[in-house]
Amino acid sequence: METERITLKSDTPGQELALSVFQFVGSNDGPAVYIQAALHSHEMPGVAALDQLMPRLVAAENEARLAGSITLVPHANPIGLAQAVYGETLGRFDANTRVNFNRSFPTDIATELTGKPAAECLKATLLTLAERADVVLDLHCDDEGPVYLYISEGQLDEGLRLARAMQAAVILTDAADDPISFDLAVGARWAVESRNADDRFAATIELRGMMDVTPDFAKQDADGLYRYLVDIGTVIDDLPAIDSVDPTMGAVDDAVLISTAEPGAILYDVLIGDWVTKGQRLAVILSEPGSAHHEILSPFDGQVMTRRDRRFARRGDDVIKVLRHPLP
Ligand SMILES: [Zn+2]
């Protein structure tokens, strides 16, 4: 394993930003893989999973079982990691520009970075590292949710392979007309470079919720990533078969965030993964104790995907995400 430290100029004097990049060199007989975590810098399940994965890759490299090279960036966002307000790491949004760290990627590879803000340089650096690979996995998590994937809709076969290895519960497909997220931006770069994007695969993996950072989950997710690396021929190993249930599949636009028209405490009626029918109560919003409560109803039949990780909502806040889907 080789460790590279890439430094980025900070936007203020007296500070330096650095990315730690871990490289595992293979024989080039299998696909090269790039995996990053914590682009939303406070999302720790992916960081914990890569920590568990690393010793297995060290062993594979030492035993000449790496057919493809692997690049890991466990903390992909040193800018966001350093930004805290009143004890809370913001993580998802740049505190200075309010731009989501997983949005607004440069589409022009030749963009001159000299004099650009650190966040733009970071995004360009991550894309440059990722686009060299054949497979790119961007590890995130939700507020509360299952393991689920975002993929572009043309890559369903590869998405299913990844979902089975990761034991993912849901795949959301994106038409990728607008490459807004990191995985789609990598795909757009491949297309611009005239590299055959069909032979390559990029996905976002949501590793449950913000609180799901435990030794067991980290091992489970490292197991899944390792199994996928073996499946695609990047790591050579002989693993026992596992039973995996095919995920629920839907278009990203069918995963609908439902907001509340009233503020207050959130009391959920349903759990992640529950199947719900149109009109079913999903949650109660308690504004004024002793007064009538506001009810959040499902607008369609479907499956509960994610819930908010706080139990207070302002008026207009998103409370729950339901995937529109026929009942099984
Ligand atoms: Zn995220």
Side-chain angles (χ1 to χ4, degrees):
M1 181 179 78
E2 293 173 12
T3 307
E4 182 186 3
R5 183 179 154 89
I6 298 176
T7 57
L8 301 164
K9 273 192 175 170
S10 168
D11 293 337
T12 52
Q15 297 187 61
E16 184 184 71
L17 299 162
L19 280 174
S20 291
V21 180
F22 300 89
Q23 307 267 11
F24 303 83
V25 179
S27 60
N28 285 329
D29 293 328
V33 177
Y34 171 89
I35 309 176
Q36 71 178 22
L39 177 60
H40 287 147
S41 58
H42 60 330
E43 297 175 358
M44 290 295 117
V47 176
L50 292 186
D51 174 63
Q52 290 272 323
L53 180 65
M54 287 169 79
R56 298 186 213 183
L57 300 185
V58 169
E61 187 179 48
N62 290 343
E63 294 160 14
R65 292 189 290 106
L66 278 189
S69 293
I70 299 170
T71 303
L72 302 183
V73 182
H75 280 296
N77 183 0
I79 300 170
L81 205 54
Q83 294 180 338
V85 176
Y86 300 132
E88 289 282 342
T89 299
L90 297 176
R92 189 174 183 81
F93 296 95
D94 189 324
N96 185 42
T97 62
R98 296 182 287 178
V99 174
N100 186 323
F101 283 113
N102 196 20
R103 295 290 185 273
S104 303
F105 291 96
T107 51
D108 182 2
I109 302 167
T111 299
E112 173 59 50
L113 293 174
T114 305
K116 296 284 187 186
E120 288 185 38
C121 297
L122 173 69
K123 289 171 181 176
T125 301
L126 294 172
L127 282 177
T128 301
L129 287 169
E131 69 185 349
R132 298 173 191 155
D134 304 302
V135 173
V136 170
L137 304 177
D138 188 16
L139 308 183
H140 287 252
C141 71
D142 215 297
D143 270 17
E144 294 180 358
V147 176
Y148 71 98
L149 312 182
Y150 288 100
I151 63 169
S152 63
E153 66 181 10
Q155 298 198 299
L156 202 48
D157 288 346
E158 198 55 39
L160 270 171
R161 176 147 75 163
L162 176 62
R164 287 174 183 138
M166 296 299 299
Q167 313 250 352
V170 179
I171 294 179
L172 295 181
T173 58
D174 199 312
D177 297 331
D178 182 12
I180 56 171
S181 58
F182 184 78
D183 61 324
L184 297 177
V186 172
R189 287 268 196 137
W190 285 333
V192 168
E193 284 182 14
S194 301
R195 291 173 67 181
N196 189 348
D198 292 341
D199 292 342
R200 295 181 165 76
F201 176 61
T204 296
I205 308 178
E206 302 281 349
L207 296 171
R208 305 176 201 81
M210 292 292 290
M211 294 292 286
D212 296 325
V213 185
T214 69
D216 285 347
F217 282 141
K219 180 180 180 306
Q220 198 173 314
D221 295 337
D223 285 348
L225 291 168
Y226 187 79
R227 176 171 298 280
Y228 179 67
L229 294 172
V230 172
D231 278 354
I232 63 174
T234 294
V235 176
I236 299 163
D237 204 342
D238 196 13
L239 300 176
I242 54 164
D243 293 330
S244 58
V245 178
D246 276 347
T248 306
M249 285 186 276
V252 72
D253 290 342
D254 284 331
V256 178
L257 277 163
I258 301 166
S259 61
T260 176
E262 297 295 335
I266 309 168
L267 288 79
Y268 286 107
D269 295 310
V270 290
L271 300 171
I272 304 299
D274 280 359
W275 289 95
V276 295
T277 55
K278 181 178 179 180
Q280 181 176 337
R281 197 177 78 183
L282 305 175
V284 163
I285 307 298
L286 169 56
S287 288
E288 296 289 346
S291 300
H293 301 163
H294 177 66
E295 296 186 327
I296 305 288
L297 307 180
S298 183
F300 38 67
D301 292 353
Q303 189 174 30
V304 175
M305 279 203 66
T306 67
R307 307 193 308 186
R308 193 179 173 84
D309 63 356
R310 306 290 171 94
R311 291 299 183 261
F312 174 73
R314 296 168 64 92
R315 194 188 315 281
D317 278 352
D318 295 324
V319 170
I320 192 166
K321 185 189 280 181
V322 179
L323 177 63
R324 186 198 319 265
H325 196 283
L327 299 176

